[in-house]
Amino acid sequence: MTHVQGVMTVPNRQTPIQIMTTKKHTWHKIADSIEEINFSSNGLTELTVSGKTFCIALYNDTVYACTQKCPHAGGTLAEGYLDRTGNIVCPLHRDKF
């Protein structure tokens, strides 16, 4: 098997398999300053950007974003809390993200 510039060739296969070698991200500005984001007392909030809702966290003056829901229990992460090391703790089953 050979991988060269976005094309993977498998021995004994006549048609090369196209694979994606880079991931594109689209960045969205959510505020001009941290003060514009309405964080709850737990340091978390939710924002919807382009139809998708995210959990936004403020920890040590840095803003982080992640999925809105816990992938295990489906809890709304913004209803959880930030532990002392900056992990978001799920409000339903206390797993950390």
Side-chain angles (χ1 to χ4, degrees):
M1 185 179 312
T2 314
H3 176 213
V4 179
Q5 297 179 353
V7 177
M8 182 172 65
T9 334
V10 180
N12 302 322
R13 184 177 169 104
Q14 292 182 3
T15 308
I17 301 169
Q18 297 291 326
I19 61 170
M20 188 174 197
T21 57
T22 59
K23 187 171 184 177
K24 293 176 69 174
H25 297 280
T26 302
W27 294 93
H28 298 275
K29 185 175 184 175
I30 59 173
D32 287 322
S33 69
I34 291 175
E35 291 77 25
E36 291 181 13
I37 303 171
N38 188 23
F39 288 100
S40 299
S41 59
N42 63 0
L44 301 169
T45 192
E46 286 186 348
L47 288 176
T48 301
V49 179
S50 295
K52 185 166 182 168
T53 304
F54 296 90
C55 176
I56 309 294
L58 177 63
Y59 181 74
N60 285 343
D61 295 324
T62 302
V63 176
Y64 299 91
C66 66
T67 186
Q68 171 196 25
K69 298 278 186 178
C70 168
H72 308 121
T76 301
L77 294 178
E79 294 174 1
Y81 64 91
L82 290 170
D83 69 11
R84 60 190 162 119
T85 60
N87 294 303
I88 299 174
V89 181
C90 175
L92 297 181
H93 75 308
R94 306 293 183 236
D95 207 359
K96 298 178 181 182
F97 300 94

